[in-house]
Amino acid sequence: MKQRANIAMQCGTLAALLMALSGTSVQAATPALPDGLTEQKIDDVVSRAQKAFDVPGIAVGVIHDGKIVFAKGYGRREDNEKSGKVDPNTLFAIGSNSKEFTATALATLVDEGKLKWTDRVIDVMPEFKVSDPWITREFRVSDLLTHHSGMGLGAGDMMLFSHSTFTRKDVLAGLPYMPFTGRFRADYAYNNLLYVVAGALVEKISGQKWEHYVQTHLIDAAGLPACQSTFPVKGQTDVAAGQGSDGVLPDRATLEPVAVAPAGGVWCSVNGMNRWVQTLLNGGNTVEGRKIISLAQRDALWAPSALIPVPDSAAKTQSHFRAYGYGWFMEDFYGLKRVWHTGTISGMVSYVSMLPEKNSGLVVLTNHYANSATASIALTMSSLIATGKSADWVTYWQDETKKAEDKAAKEASTTGPGSPARPFIALPVSDLKDYVGVYHDAWRGDIHLSLKGNDLVMTFGKADGLSGTLCALPHDLFVAKWQNRAEDAEDDSYVQFERNTSGKVTGFHMQVVGSDFSFDAQDLHPIKVSAQ
């Protein structure tokens, strides 16, 4: 980088000399970062965030005035001292930043006249059905994207995550059994399930798999380097591994489409995401002039549809409103419009932030489950672009993280399951046999309770590897402690069994001990269907 800096300095000196001699301006040879940003400032905030939140690898990109002006990798591809270094072509799972690809795929169909945002979903996809007949009739295409359907926070995520092997067809079949806990088109609650339905809608209209349509009509059409709509496979070497992952990639021959893909299945490098942001800031056109979506549809994606409460940090960014559009969050940010989204999946976190009035955008990709790291970097850089200065977001998020951790630790040690106030109890095998059997939930399917030695163990159908031991508390209450502690410990859940008047166990309901909204166990109500 020093050599490039010296060349730029020499070009600048030559340009000044030519300007003095000719009286005409000469364009700089190297695209400039936005005012307020320097490479050193980016390096500094990345270094601080990487250290503060223990992130092995990070990739950062910047787009300004229609040009990609920065792309750099930091650290390692895996949480392994011997792993390769992150570079601008390293593939990361971008999680919910995939939602913008699904929304944009629908926008291409709107541009082609094959769909309207106001179309009833059931008119286009007759198999669509939710629990309320009136909502089923009135549900529009736009309602799939704005998180104000009336379904609860993360409703149906257990069909998508937690080792799920559900297909999109399975998801549609389970949709009518999902409860509505809020008001239709009034209450905001983030939802992945309906983006899967949106992906199925893309398939219905186009006649192509979501993966193929997104790859050909968006990723390849826009020329996004090192970017793909499917999981990486063996033979691909420049791939990041997220927290808790063993880094082992599947064989291409055995790779199957995953249900969650339209909500969180895209993998992309910072080079690919840079060009994606560049295309969106350019009104939906690539720099070569190829139209991916029309400006009208790009603006439709970025229009507020569902209002959201502002965060506690709103005063620090002079933000007065926050909203969700079609696949994007938006807010006022120091008097400017900011369009952004985050993504978390497979132990990785991504962040895209754009300031259209500054014609600037940025991308942050990480391979560690630390939203605080990406937020620290993205908010610092966005603030510098907007105002030339920034609050100390690394310290802010360190403090917020510590407060949350201290609160959780205090609750766990004082009133949590297994604490002195609520100790676990030992039940004889003869008592545990009451709970053994097959239980069926209308949307999640079969759940098995079995004895392994002296332990009561829970396993789920259509979930490879989700298994936990049930630890007993008084009054038919247990805590399911999941076997894969690195990946699933935050999803440990209460299991409250129910009995009939004869004393026989008839079913149970669940509640996550922690706060992971994507383990939506509270919506389960399995009924015992067999004692075997």
Side-chain angles (χ1 to χ4, degrees), residues 457-474:
V457 175
M458 175 181 285
T459 56
F460 284 77
K462 294 186 179 180
D464 295 335
L466 183 61
S467 174
T469 299
L470 270 60
C471 302
L473 292 164

Side-chain angles (χ1 to χ4, degrees), residues 151-161 171 178-179 191-193 443-444 518 520 523:
M151 289 184 185
L153 178 64
D157 274 2
M158 285 185 71
M159 289 193 281
L160 309 177
F161 304 107
V171 169
M178 296 309 306
N191 182 280
N192 292 295
L193 195 67
W443 60 272
R444 187 56 187 77
S518 278
D520 54 325
D523 291 332

Side-chain angles (χ1 to χ4, degrees), residues 207-465:
Q208 302 173 32
K209 282 291 186 183
W210 175 90
E211 287 82 357
H212 183 263
Y213 191 89
V214 167
Q215 187 70 44
T216 57
H217 287 72
L218 301 182
I219 295 173
D220 294 344
L224 311 187
C227 196
Q228 59 193 59
S229 60
T230 57
F231 202 91
V233 295
K234 286 181 180 177
Q236 293 184 268
T237 56
D238 199 357
V239 181
Q243 182 180 354
S245 169
D246 59 11
V248 176
L249 299 177
D251 291 317
R252 186 179 300 275
T254 61
L255 190 66
E256 295 287 340
V258 293
V260 73
V266 173
W267 286 67
C268 207
S269 66
V270 78
N271 274 345
M273 291 301 291
N274 269 349
R275 187 165 167 95
W276 177 239
V277 172
Q278 180 188 41
T279 299
L280 293 171
L281 285 171
N282 197 37
N285 298 301
T286 68
V287 289
E288 295 83 13
R290 181 170 187 176
K291 186 178 81 170
I292 305 303
I293 55 170
S294 65
L295 176 60
Q297 293 311 316
R298 194 287 310 268
D299 289 346
L301 301 180
W302 289 1
S305 293
L307 290 176
I308 309 169
V310 295
D312 293 340
S313 60
K316 298 173 74 68
T317 56
Q318 299 176 20
S319 299
H320 305 88
F321 88 94
R322 179 171 282 188
Y324 202 87
Y326 299 164
W328 292 99
F329 291 98
M330 56 215 65
E331 64 189 3
D332 62 323
F333 187 83
Y334 296 110
L336 301 169
K337 180 178 182 178
R338 186 167 84 103
V339 181
W340 59 279
H341 212 287
T342 62
T344 303
I345 198 169
S346 302
M348 305 191 211
V349 183
S350 65
Y351 201 126
V352 176
S353 176
M354 291 178 282
L355 296 168
E357 292 150 299
K358 290 284 188 177
N359 202 14
S360 298
L362 61 92
V363 177
V364 183
L365 308 176
T366 70
N367 60 354
H368 186 67
Y369 183 64
N371 291 278
S372 297
T374 50
S376 297
I377 298 168
L379 288 171
T380 298
M381 292 173 63
S382 296
S383 299
L384 289 170
I385 295 170
T387 68
K389 57 186 179 180
S390 175
D392 185 350
W393 286 105
V394 174
T395 299
Y396 173 84
W397 285 111
Q398 275 184 301
D399 292 344
E400 291 297 302
T401 301
K402 188 175 187 306
K403 287 178 190 174
E405 290 174 348
D406 289 348
K407 181 181 178 182
K410 183 178 180 181
E411 290 176 353
S413 63
T414 55
T415 61
S419 68
R422 302 178 65 199
F424 290 118
I425 61 175
L427 293 179
V429 170
S430 57
D431 287 354
L432 293 178
K433 287 181 178 178
D434 284 354
Y435 308 104
V436 170
V438 178
Y439 298 73
H440 184 78
D441 179 78
W443 60 272
R444 187 56 187 77
D446 288 344
I447 302 171
H448 298 263
L449 273 293
S450 59
L451 281 173
K452 291 189 177 180
N454 295 326
D455 293 329
L456 184 63
V457 175
M458 175 181 285
T459 56
F460 284 77
K462 294 186 179 180
D464 295 335

